[in-house]
Amino acid sequence: MFQFLVDVLMRACDLMLVAIGMSAVYSLMKFPNIALVQYAATGGILAIVLQKIGAPVAVAIVFAVVLTGLVAVILNEFLFNRMLKIGSSTAMIGSLAVSLVFSAAFLVTVGPNPSRFRLPVSKPIRILDARITEPQLVSFAIVAVALGVFALLYFRTDLGRCMRATSTNEVLADATGINTARMKTIIVLISGVMAALGGVAIALKGEVDIQIGMDLLLPVFASAILGGLGNPFGAVAGALLISLVETVVTTINFGPLMGQVVVFLPVAYASAISFLLLVAALLWRPRGLFVSEVKRV
Amino acid sequence: MIEVTEVRAGYGDGPDILNGISLTAEPGRIVTILGPNGCGKSTLLKCIAGFVRPRAGHIRMSGEAVTDVPTYLKVRNHRVGFVPQTDNVFASMTVAENIMLGGRLMERRDRERRFDTLLGQYPSLASKKNRRASALSGGERQLLSLARALISEPSILLLDEPSAGLSPRMMHDVFEAIADVRRREGPSILMVEQNAFEALHVSDSAYVLSFGSVAIEGAASDLLADPAMRSLYLGGDKH
Amino acid sequence: MSDSVLAIEGVAKSFGANQVLANVCFSIRKGEIVGLLGPNGCGKSTLLNLISGVFPADAGTLAFQGENMTGQSMDHIARRGLVRTFQLPSMPRRMTVAELLHGAAARGAGFGSLFRRDASEMAEIDGLLDELALSHVRYLPAASLSGGQKKLLSIALALRASPRMICLDEPTAGVHPNLRHHMVGLLRRINASGITLLIVEHDMHFIRELCSRCVVMDRGAVIADCKPSELTSNEQVVEAYLGNARQKRAMA
Amino acid sequence: MSDFIIHVTIMSGLYALLALSLNLQAGLGGLMNFGQIALFACGTYGAAIAFHFDFGAVSGFVLAVLAAALLGWAFASVGRNLQADYWGIVTLALAEVIRIIATNEDWLTGGAQGIGGIPPLYAGLDGQTRQLVILATVLLLVLAAGLFCRHLIGGRYGLSIKIMREEPQLAASLGYDTIALKRQLMAVSSVLAAVSGFLFAHYVSFVGPEQIDSSETFLIWAMIVVGGLGNNAGAIVGAFLLQFTFAFIPFVKDWIGLPSEYVAAGRLLLTGGGLIAFILFRQSGIVPERVGGRRYV
Amino acid sequence: EAVIGAVLPLSGSSATQGDDQRRGMELALEKINADGGVLGHPLKIITEDSGGRTATALDAAKKLVTVDKIPVVLGEFSSGITIPIAQYLLQQDRVHINIGSSSTQIRSLGKGAFSVIGLDDVSGAFAAQDVFSGGAKNVAVIAPNNAYGQGIANAFAAKFKSLGGAITSTVLYTEGQTTYRRELQQLAAGEPDLYVYTAYGKESATINRESFELGLNDKKWYGLYLTMCTADSDPQYVEGQIGMDLNYIGGNGGDYQKAYEAKYKGGFTSTFNGFAYDGVMLVAAAINKAKSLDPQKIEDAIAEIGKSYEGATGPILLDADGQRSTQPYLRLKIESGKAVATQ
Ligand SMILES: Nc1ncnc2c1ncn2[C@@H]1O[C@H](COP(=O)(O)OP(=O)(O)OP(=O)(O)O)[C@@H](O)[C@H]1O
Ligand SMILES: Nc1ncnc2c1ncn2[C@@H]1O[C@H](COP(=O)(O)OP(=O)(O)OP(=O)(O)O)[C@@H](O)[C@H]1O
Ligand SMILES: [Mg+2]
Ligand SMILES: [Mg+2]
């Protein structure tokens, strides 16, 4: 049972930080930035490469994350801001194009083979009936701390309030003395950092390859939208829900019902089922599960 | 103090909406801008606030040139309060958060004090303090927007139709409140209005715009007194 | 009441714990021009939303021309001839005023009209634009109109939808006084052509000139239903809505 | 060389049909369909299944068209009160569900192995003539579809769709049944996609699940964004331009003399970078949409 | 001057394998040209990227045929792409060499299509026999949910059942996930005697690590193409695994392996480089034998050579359909991080 929870959390952690980043950027820029998943890949790969050339793990991680954040800001400044002037679907296609360039860059720099941190192999620790390894615990901790810091920032500081104000009404935010351009830069930086941390968290647990970004795209999208785009903490809940459903449907043994020992739903259908859940949830709450905004006339 | 000299402005690469407008609003005075729909009143306010960049001409606030200063800096440096005509609230935030945001540049103590007095003045908002602004009725939004602008004790107040959609009683209260702010804090108030009579009653001077230029300017009382003016620009002689 | 166009019976609506409308009853006869008044936030727009089917009522029934419309969708009700305007109109960014007016006539615009293009309505649209002082902006994107112009445009749009009854939500808010005067004439003519009008309004002159009857609400309930001239003598209405003596003087 | 150009033109034509279909939905109707490839899949699998079970090409065509119209209808029904972005992700998820089904139900779809050996159209003709006849067929279809779309957008129906796209509430208040409008639009445009898929299956002679990966949808999006969202000519031009670019990238590679380990990176870089450059320097596409259309300016 | 073509997935989700195929071809090219090339000229290969997409691959194949006028094309990796390009090539009377797909559908492509890789029925049957005779009666199978995985899992199951064994569960996993814990737990739920798995580099690394973490390594693991399955995994996780793989030893396989390791600094990334190598070598030999670049003549020469050809991946015997009929396999075991042959 506890193992089951660990499995759910582990999968959710992989999605959460990137989904938060996507949702946060969406709230201010009003377009789903596909390149975010590549920031996650960049974070993970960069940290591994840095460790390989001699940096201690912690230093490698910090550098990778900060660098990725800066890359996110620079791309936003030079590309996405200009694309957004044309329209949000244009910006989205633009971010896809940026993702392709990222793939190309990865392909020439690190090649298609997976890589991982050089960490001592640790025997899993037993907690109740679950087995967890040390790097996994570290990766949990990173995700938890990142979430906590972001929550404090978003809900408890003036900066967070200003971000939320900018995301609901940019013109009025400007008229209230908020530097909306800077808010956007900050949110882009934060999203880049969050995505990179997400990538690092994945890398710590195991291995990353250059496809990891594009592989994350759909589940991250699903999480962000299930929680309600523009509501970063909805994305967390969305990620948890998606992984819960995926895990539940694959661990229920239908065998006894059908008079056989083990009959599982084919795992291939796990993601299909979580997508169907997404559709059903949106039929019920069209703006995501955790958006309580009223749109009135 | 707001000084606008020979400002021309328009949207995108469209034609000029403002064709060389000049006006001044001195501290402690209420200046009302009147004019038919689409003559450029809101554009003028947006221009002063910095949302529309003038194509020619100058804007000064408290004697300082601010023509190309971005909005948020104007708001910070010259304590500008702005009530837009539409989209005037932070829809997904609560009423209290909306008002507090208006005062985010103030000392915390001052802000809370002002917050309490404002809610005292607008009981209909006080009772909806923790409700999302998106649920408010049209009139309630109008009040909220005004409260948000007033909390910071602005020295320049730009009001785009503050009385639109208010009940007669509320409209009266709002104009009283504006007159009251003028008396106590002495900001320069520039107000666009369609409810001309009520607005002129509390104003010191007025400009009537027509197709992006000033057609008439004068003291509010003179405009009210002139019957020709009434029928031509103020909607007939009904009062 | 055979000539009742719109009958509202015991309508109630809450948003969460917040009861906005409670047991609202009144009816409107064919050809009437009724003003719906009340302080801000008393529930006028919410009532219009219920009547036009934006969302369903929690309780009560709504009947239009004898047909029960409770719980019907907005487009269904509009096709039956009950059309409304919005208090804060938002207009398309990528359609011009003229385009919008052409498209506003929903009847016969279905998939079947694929190969139909007629210019006969041009004259009608031109007339409307003239009447509402919008001729010079006809080729501008509708969203770039000024606040007042949008209000005027939304009246024109409602008229294009071949209505039997129009509910107007604060048609004069933000409209220049001269045009308000003009609008009285326009609405009278519309009414004379057999269209019933329900008008939410705060401009008492406008109400007095136009309406034959006023329904006044306060905190979600009807507190008065009378002739406009009788409003000032109703203590409750003065207290809740009209306010101080200067306003009363203006009404006198 | 001319054979190659004929081939690329045929492919471009097939993509042009897809782009026209998407342009009707996204450009005219504001429906951000990210599941376009699923409608195409109805076409390919319609042809493949009919072949597999020996129904004959005509019933394959009927099957393809019916399935696509039905699926389009279903997409619209699911999205009846969803915001554009939400609906976009929902369609993406549904398309993925369809791909998963196609991968796993091998009794029907051949599973991951796909269905091969689908006979070409005009099987009676010899190779060279057949290519030319297919080319003519495709180009005629593109022309017809283009004219049809033009008529649809320019006419009364187009106006009502536009109101629905821009201000659904306003449209409903004027008496438009917005859900019905969406369904009609989706059903009609889906037929175009199905025709494209049907021809593709017979042309390529093989149908498999990797052909309907979600990245294919992004490609079609890129075509209409490059061409100018909302413009029919733009969609066609975009499809041809991108398809020709992709087809000729190998020549650029030969010409530069790119070593083979950089072939893939070069391809990604050219497509991604080219797309970015295009968006930035040709802001609203080759043929931008004009507000007001032809009649009302 | 002899030029041949290749269409490989150098980008997209199979880029790892595609890149490894490219390496094999490169080694073959070096060897051929060091030995004097073909028909007296150095051999040249034009490699095109398929991006893992049918449409792109088809464009590439058409370019190779109509523009570069190439008689022989090798490739691709996914059966779903190999089949359509092969069909096109056969229509154009060119020769196609399958170097990486193992779908049994390939058998029915027709004349002019050859496979230097044994199709799934061959390898699946061998593994089933091997596992069964090793004593396991109840096994669970995990394989990727693609043409290769479905094919080999089916072939294995068919043979294993016919021998009298039982499959407790078959899990087809979706590639590219960050975790396979759910899949592994499904697998374990049937309590098999042994796990049979096959996975590409990255996925197998994750699967091996997670099965270690979940304690699934208390049972035996049998890898189909064991070196591919363990290439990217940490040695600790895979210690003691057994499995089958293609035979690189004997013939010129040993030299090939050494050359690969010298050039690319490490063991094989996947099993596919060897087939790519053999494919090129076979074509070169055929061109030399045919003394012509005419596709028809090359085709005949390949059929002729294919009667007995010693490749790096062992003897290549092509049957009447042009498919590799037998494939020598090795039984391997991971001991102190190295795959060693057992008997
Ligand atoms: N969707 C909603 N959710 C919650 N509360 C709502 C909602 N819509 C309206 N309300 C509340 O219901 C009350 C009545 O609103 P309504 O818009 O009907 O007022 P109104 O009479 O039209 O006022 P005004 O004259 O200011 O437009 C208001 O207090 C408003 O806050
Ligand atoms: N964003 C915009 N883009 C293009 N044109 C615009 C835009 N906003 C306003 N306009 C045009 O500028 C003119 C003046 O608009 P403005 O909003 O300043 O009018 P106004 O005087 O405030 O009218 P009202 O009393 O109706 O609010 C109008 O004709 C309008 O069409
Ligand atoms: Mg205005
Ligand atoms: Mg209202």
Side-chain angles (χ1 to χ4, degrees):
Chain A
M1 188 55 212
F2 194 61
Q3 179 70 56
F4 170 80
L5 285 180
V6 170
D7 287 355
V8 171
L9 267 182
M10 201 110 65
R11 172 70 173 157
C13 280
D14 292 346
L15 307 177
M16 251 180 220
L17 293 186
V18 193
I20 281 200
M22 184 165 284
S23 206
V25 167
Y26 181 89
S27 72
L28 248 61
M29 321 285 282
K30 302 287 179 272
F31 86 102
N33 187 347
I34 294 177
L36 261 164
V37 293
Q38 295 289 31
Y39 299 164
T42 312
I45 293 175
L46 205 56
I48 291 174
V49 169
L50 286 175
Q51 195 213 10
K52 231 168 236 156
I53 59 175
V57 186
V59 177
I61 291 177
V62 171
F63 260 87
V65 166
V66 171
L67 278 178
T68 312
L70 291 181
V71 168
V73 171
I74 291 169
L75 285 178
N76 193 61
E77 211 51 46
F78 288 100
L79 296 181
F80 298 133
N81 264 342
R82 295 170 63 186
M83 291 173 182
L84 267 172
K85 294 208 179 91
I86 311 169
S88 62
S89 42
T90 305
M92 186 164 165
I93 296 304
S95 68
L96 178 76
V98 170
S99 303
L100 293 186
V101 175
F102 265 93
S103 292
F106 294 148
L107 210 50
V108 286
T109 50
V110 292
N113 298 328
S115 52
R116 70 170 76 77
F117 278 116
R118 263 172 237 197
L119 298 172
V121 172
S122 55
K123 265 267 168 235
I125 308 160
R126 274 189 162 275
I127 303 177
L128 302 181
D129 63 340
R131 297 152 153 265
I132 308 172
T133 63
E134 209 173 298
Q136 279 164 1
L137 285 175
V138 175
S139 142
F140 273 143
I142 287 182
V143 173
V145 170
L147 281 184
V149 170
F150 185 69
L152 280 181
L153 188 80
Y154 202 66
F155 289 113
R156 287 270 176 269
T157 63
D158 185 53
L159 187 67
R161 233 185 319 272
C162 291
M163 282 180 207
R164 283 185 290 140
T166 310
S167 74
T168 43
N169 191 336
E170 202 182 322
V171 171
L172 197 57
D174 233 335
T176 319
I178 297 171
N179 184 349
T180 49
R182 212 184 66 193
M183 285 305 131
K184 287 184 181 171
T185 309
I186 293 177
I187 208 90
V188 166
L189 178 73
I190 291 179
S191 70
V193 165
M194 289 299 242
L197 270 178
V200 166
I202 295 175
L204 271 176
K205 285 185 295 186
E207 39 287 306
V208 287
D209 74 347
I210 61 173
Q211 272 295 112
I212 185 116
M214 293 324 260
D215 289 338
L216 281 176
L217 186 61
L218 257 173
V220 163
F221 257 151
S223 308
I225 211 125
L226 187 60
L229 270 179
N231 170 9
F233 287 89
V236 175
L240 278 171
L241 211 63
I242 294 267
S243 6
L244 180 73
V245 171
E246 282 183 0
T247 313
V248 166
V249 296
T250 48
T251 42
I252 294 179
N253 185 357
F254 295 98
L257 284 180
M258 308 172 77
Q260 272 167 308
V261 188
V262 272
V263 177
F264 286 109
L265 198 77
V267 265
Y269 281 105
S271 53
I273 291 209
S274 65
F275 293 146
L276 289 178
L277 162 95
L278 173 73
V279 174
L282 288 181
L283 281 179
W284 172 51
R285 287 192 67 116
R287 323 188 90 232
L289 292 182
F290 304 97
V291 169
S292 55
E293 199 175 314
V294 251
K295 203 170 176 225
R296 62 156 295 178
V297 284
Chain B
M1 176 78 165
I2 309 167
E3 292 157 280
V4 176
T5 31
E6 287 298 319
V7 161
R8 295 180 168 278
Y11 297 92
D13 42 14
D16 283 353
I17 304 287
L18 303 180
N19 304 310
I21 285 196
S22 304
L23 58 79
T24 44
E26 283 171 19
R29 298 175 73 79
I30 300 179
V31 178
T32 296
I33 300 171
L34 305 170
N37 294 114
C39 70
K41 304 181 295 298
S42 302
T43 307
L44 177 60
L45 283 204
K46 283 190 244 172
C47 216
I48 296 173
F51 292 111
V52 175
R53 179 159 289 200
R55 289 171 179 167
H58 303 283
I59 299 171
R60 304 166 77 80
M61 285 179 174
S62 325
E64 212 176 292
V66 293
T67 319
D68 289 322
V69 174
T71 308
Y72 76 96
L73 280 182
K74 277 186 202 170
V75 172
R76 287 185 192 175
N77 299 341
H78 299 279
R79 284 199 294 140
V80 180
F82 182 41
V83 173
Q85 184 173 7
T86 48
D87 273 335
N88 46 12
V89 294
F90 294 111
S92 70
M93 303 175 95
T94 63
V95 169
E97 276 179 315
N98 262 277
I99 301 177
M100 283 299 196
L101 266 169
R104 57 179 282 274
L105 300 170
M106 310 167 73
E107 290 281 316
R108 189 187 164 139
R109 285 239 312 286
D110 287 349
R111 179 170 58 206
E112 279 166 9
R113 181 182 49 77
R114 289 281 296 164
F115 181 75
D116 292 337
T117 30
L118 275 171
L119 284 194
Q121 278 170 354
Y122 302 114
S124 54
L125 289 183
S127 64
K128 302 186 172 71
K129 196 162 79 168
N130 293 320
R131 232 182 266 164
R132 299 257 187 153
S134 54
L136 296 184
S137 80
E140 290 164 344
R141 281 174 191 233
Q142 204 71 37
L143 286 184
L144 177 58
S145 182
L146 195 64
R148 198 206 70 252
L150 289 182
I151 189 173
S152 63
E153 303 188 333
S155 56
I156 287 174
L157 197 49
L158 306 173
L159 306 172
D160 201 345
E161 307 205 13
S163 79
L166 296 184
S167 73
R169 186 193 162 130
M170 213 55 198
M171 188 197 312
H172 178 249
D173 289 356
V174 160
F175 282 129
E176 286 293 297
I178 293 172
D180 194 45
V181 167
R182 188 251 319 248
R183 264 195 303 282
R184 279 189 294 110
E185 293 154 24
S188 317
I189 302 179
L190 200 55
M191 175 165 80
V192 171
E193 260 304 334
Q194 293 291 10
N195 294 315
F197 283 96
E198 291 81 355
L200 286 179
H201 273 296
V202 298
S203 307
D204 299 293
S205 58
Y207 292 81
V208 180
L209 301 195
S210 169
F211 293 107
S213 328
V214 176
I216 298 168
E217 60 176 291
S221 48
D222 293 351
L223 259 81
L224 275 175
D226 185 345
M229 208 64 58
R230 288 183 153 209
S231 65
L232 265 178
Y233 290 103
L234 310 180
D237 196 359
K238 290 179 297 183
H239 294 256
Chain C
M1 277 223 283
S2 57
D3 58 350
S4 145
V5 181
L6 181 70
I8 302 168
E9 291 246 8
V11 162
K13 180 76 189 173
S14 314
F15 295 103
N18 170 25
Q19 174 133 36
V20 174
L21 293 176
N23 193 27
V24 173
C25 301
F26 64 91
S27 73
I28 296 175
R29 284 188 302 280
K30 187 164 167 25
E32 265 191 312
I33 306 183
V34 177
L36 181 57
L37 314 178
N40 294 116
C42 72
K44 305 180 295 295
S45 299
T46 306
L47 184 60
L48 282 203
N49 285 343
L50 293 180
I51 294 173
S52 60
V54 175
F55 38 63
D58 297 343
T61 57
L62 293 155
F64 178 64
Q65 295 182 329
E67 184 185 347
N68 187 353
M69 290 290 180
T70 323
Q72 289 289 0
S73 66
M74 178 138 98
D75 53 280
H76 175 86
I77 294 175
R79 282 195 298 275
R80 287 305 153 99
L82 202 170
V83 179
R84 55 94 45 104
T85 67
F86 295 97
Q87 185 172 3
L88 306 167
S90 60
M91 291 292 165
R93 280 197 311 122
R94 291 190 293 168
M95 286 179 90
T96 62
V97 171
E99 253 188 309
L100 190 57
L101 281 167
H102 268 279
R107 285 204 188 150
F111 206 68
S113 71
L114 204 55
F115 298 98
R116 209 190 77 206
R117 291 174 177 218
D118 53 347
S120 69
E121 317 148 284
M122 279 298 190
E124 187 191 336
I125 289 172
D126 285 347
L128 273 174
L129 287 172
D130 272 348
E131 193 104 48
L132 295 166
L134 291 172
S135 297
H136 61 294
V137 294
R138 64 191 311 156
Y139 297 131
L140 290 185
S144 70
L145 294 194
S146 76
Q149 289 170 331
K150 282 184 194 164
K151 288 236 104 126
L152 297 169
L153 178 57
S154 60
I155 297 177
L157 290 176
L159 285 173
R160 289 279 294 145
S162 29
R164 305 300 315 145
M165 173 172 175
I166 308 182
C167 300
L168 298 157
D169 200 348
E170 306 201 6
T172 71
V175 171
H176 189 253
N178 282 354
L179 256 171
R180 294 189 191 179
H181 193 65
H182 209 76
M183 229 149 97
V184 171
L186 172 68
L187 291 177
R188 281 235 176 86
R189 256 172 291 140
I190 293 170
N191 179 245
S193 72
I195 298 175
T196 313
L197 298 174
L198 175 64
I199 306 177
V200 174
E201 202 24 88
H202 289 307
D203 183 338
M204 297 310 293
H205 302 292
F206 189 78
I207 293 280
R208 232 160 47 106
E209 275 188 58
L210 193 59
C211 299
S212 49
R213 189 183 139 205
C214 286
V215 175
V216 187
M217 292 175 50
D218 186 23
R219 274 171 272 162
V222 176
I223 57 168
D225 189 342
C226 58
K227 285 207 163 57
S229 53
E230 294 162 11
L231 287 175
T232 39
S233 52
N234 185 326
E235 277 309 311
Q236 231 182 329
V237 174
V238 172
E239 168 59 28
Y241 183 60
L242 293 175
N244 79 350
R246 198 162 67 85
Q247 297 294 332
K248 265 190 271 177
R249 224 182 308 122
M251 285 297 297
Chain D
M1 190 70 194
S2 71
D3 284 350
F4 185 64
I5 289 179
I6 290 173
H7 159 71
V8 179
T9 313
I10 291 175
M11 290 301 259
S12 307
L14 295 178
Y15 274 97
L17 286 177
L18 274 176
L20 276 173
S21 153
L22 185 62
N23 189 48
L24 264 191
Q25 303 163 15
L28 174 63
L31 301 168
M32 301 269 280
N33 182 3
F34 288 117
Q36 176 74 353
I37 203 65
L39 303 172
F40 175 78
C42 292
T44 57
Y45 274 100
I49 290 171
F51 162 72
H52 190 60
F53 293 102
D54 273 334
F55 294 157
V58 175
S59 44
F61 185 76
V62 174
L63 185 67
V65 166
L66 282 185
L70 215 65
L71 185 65
W73 182 277
F75 273 8
S77 302
V78 167
R80 62 179 185 272
N81 46 17
L82 289 184
Q83 211 176 290
D85 320 272
Y86 284 66
W87 190 70
I89 308 296
V90 164
T91 49
L92 185 62
L94 286 178
E96 196 58 15
V97 170
I98 285 170
R99 193 187 62 82
I100 291 171
I101 294 173
T103 314
N104 290 287
E105 299 307 314
D106 37 357
W107 57 273
L108 181 67
T109 62
Q113 319 255 3
I115 295 174
I118 303 167
L121 294 180
Y122 311 114
L125 302 175
D126 78 287
Q128 191 66 30
T129 336
R130 183 167 59 215
Q131 281 290 93
L132 287 174
V133 176
I134 292 177
L135 177 72
T137 312
V138 170
L139 289 184
L140 270 177
L141 275 170
V142 171
L143 188 69
L147 288 177
F148 173 74
C149 292
R150 195 174 95 140
H151 209 91
L152 204 64
I153 291 179
R156 197 50 178 278
Y157 183 71
L159 284 182
S160 47
I161 296 281
K162 278 191 198 171
I163 304 184
M164 186 260 324
R165 158 186 92 186
E166 302 268 312
E167 296 290 340
Q169 188 103 49
L170 180 66
S173 83
L174 294 171
Y176 285 113
D177 183 346
T178 52
I179 302 166
L181 282 179
K182 274 186 203 172
R183 284 181 178 146
Q184 287 168 4
L185 186 64
M186 281 305 295
V188 168
S189 56
S190 302
V191 169
L192 287 183
V195 170
S196 167
F198 178 82
L199 294 174
F200 180 89
H202 281 283
Y203 181 63
V204 170
S205 83
F206 176 84
V207 168
E210 61 273 85
Q211 291 166 348
I212 56 171
D213 201 81
S214 51
S215 57
E216 296 292 311
T217 301
F218 291 126
L219 183 67
I220 308 166
W221 265 97
M223 288 169 181
I224 65 171
V225 163
V226 163
L229 195 60
N231 188 299
N232 293 314
I236 299 177
V237 171
F240 274 79
L241 186 76
L242 252 69
Q243 204 54 44
F244 267 84
T245 314
F246 288 148
F248 280 92
I249 279 178
F251 295 94
V252 178
K253 174 214 70 184
D254 288 353
W255 179 63
I256 310 176
L258 206 60
S260 59
E261 56 260 56
Y262 295 126
V263 168
R267 199 177 66 85
L268 290 170
L269 205 64
L270 274 171
T271 40
L275 202 53
I276 294 172
F278 200 89
I279 291 174
L280 289 183
F281 298 116
R282 192 82 193 97
Q283 303 251 323
S284 24
I286 304 174
V287 199
E289 181 190 16
R290 266 179 300 165
V291 174
R294 280 161 294 132
R295 283 213 299 157
Y296 303 104
V297 169
Chain E
E1 188 188 18
V3 185
I4 61 175
V7 180
L8 303 176
L10 297 172
S11 63
S13 51
S14 311
T16 315
Q17 290 78 35
D19 190 55
D20 204 38
Q21 290 178 314
R22 187 187 60 75
R23 289 176 170 189
M25 290 191 177
E26 214 159 65
L27 285 170
L29 206 59
E30 275 172 19
K31 179 148 172 43
I32 292 163
N33 290 338
D35 296 349
V38 292
L39 305 181
H41 293 284
L43 179 70
K44 222 181 119 202
I45 304 181
I46 299 183
T47 308
E48 300 294 350
D49 179 23
S50 71
R53 291 182 64 225
T54 315
T56 310
L58 211 58
D59 283 354
K62 298 215 174 187
K63 179 216 167 219
L64 290 172
V65 170
T66 58
V67 182
D68 299 320
K69 311 274 186 233
I70 271 166
V72 182
V73 175
L74 296 91
E76 210 252 2
F77 171 71
S78 312
S79 307
I81 297 175
T82 306
I83 294 173
I85 63 173
Q87 274 171 346
Y88 164 74
L89 289 166
L90 300 193
Q91 272 168 25
Q92 301 297 313
D93 299 319
R94 306 299 157 108
V95 179
H96 173 255
I97 316 271
N98 165 31
I99 54 173
S101 303
S102 48
S103 163
T104 45
Q105 281 197 25
I106 289 175
R107 182 172 294 281
S108 47
L109 279 172
K111 215 168 105 33
F114 299 95
S115 290
V116 294
I117 183 169
L119 302 185
D120 293 328
D121 39 0
V122 186
S123 42
F126 172 84
Q129 181 72 55
D130 192 26
V131 169
F132 190 80
S133 54
K137 296 287 171 293
N138 296 307
V139 304
V141 181
I142 179 166
N145 194 12
N146 58 19
Y148 160 71
Q150 285 185 5
I152 198 155
N154 286 342
F156 179 90
K159 178 76 179 179
F160 197 68
K161 282 181 193 153
S162 77
L163 291 170
I167 308 282
T168 58
S169 55
T170 304
V171 174
L172 296 172
Y173 68 84
T174 307
E175 293 152 85
Q177 298 186 67
T178 51
T179 171
Y180 296 95
R181 292 175 159 251
R182 298 182 294 259
E183 284 81 349
L184 290 171
Q185 279 165 1
Q186 275 201 6
L187 210 60
E191 297 180 357
D193 315 332
L194 178 144
Y195 299 101
V196 175
Y197 83 116
T198 187
Y200 305 123
K202 181 201 164 206
E203 281 85 24
S204 62
T206 309
I207 287 173
N208 280 321
R209 175 174 52 75
E210 289 184 332
S211 66
F212 176 81
E213 287 164 9
L214 293 170
L216 264 60
N217 62 339
D218 57 350
K219 302 268 173 58
K220 270 256 176 299
W221 279 70
Y222 187 95
L224 303 171
Y225 301 112
L226 187 66
T227 55
M228 168 176 91
C229 297
T230 57
D232 286 315
S233 305
D234 195 289
Q236 291 222 36
Y237 298 138
V238 296
E239 187 64 25
Q241 287 192 357
I242 52 172
M244 54 73 87
D245 212 319
L246 300 159
N247 190 358
Y248 292 103
I249 304 170
N252 42 18
D255 292 345
Y256 169 68
Q257 188 166 12
K258 281 202 202 86
Y260 183 99
E261 282 165 3
K263 182 156 172 138
Y264 299 110
K265 314 269 179 301
F268 293 136
T269 321
S270 75
T271 43
F272 296 97
N273 58 67
F275 300 109
Y277 176 86
D278 278 350
V280 176
M281 296 301 282
L282 183 65
V283 170
I287 295 176
N288 273 333
K289 183 179 171 77
K291 297 204 175 52
S292 151
L293 287 171
D294 178 48
Q296 189 56 48
K297 297 203 173 115
I298 296 177
E299 184 188 321
D300 296 339
I302 292 177
E304 192 56 37
I305 296 175
K307 288 189 175 132
S308 90
Y309 178 81
E310 192 59 34
T313 58
I316 296 176
L317 299 177
L318 301 180
D319 62 17
D321 294 328
Q323 306 301 310
R324 186 166 182 172
S325 56
T326 58
Q327 195 155 269
Y329 297 99
L330 279 179
R331 296 184 176 77
L332 296 175
K333 180 172 181 148
I334 307 288
E335 273 173 13
S336 28
K338 284 243 154 10
V340 296
T342 59
Q343 204 38 65

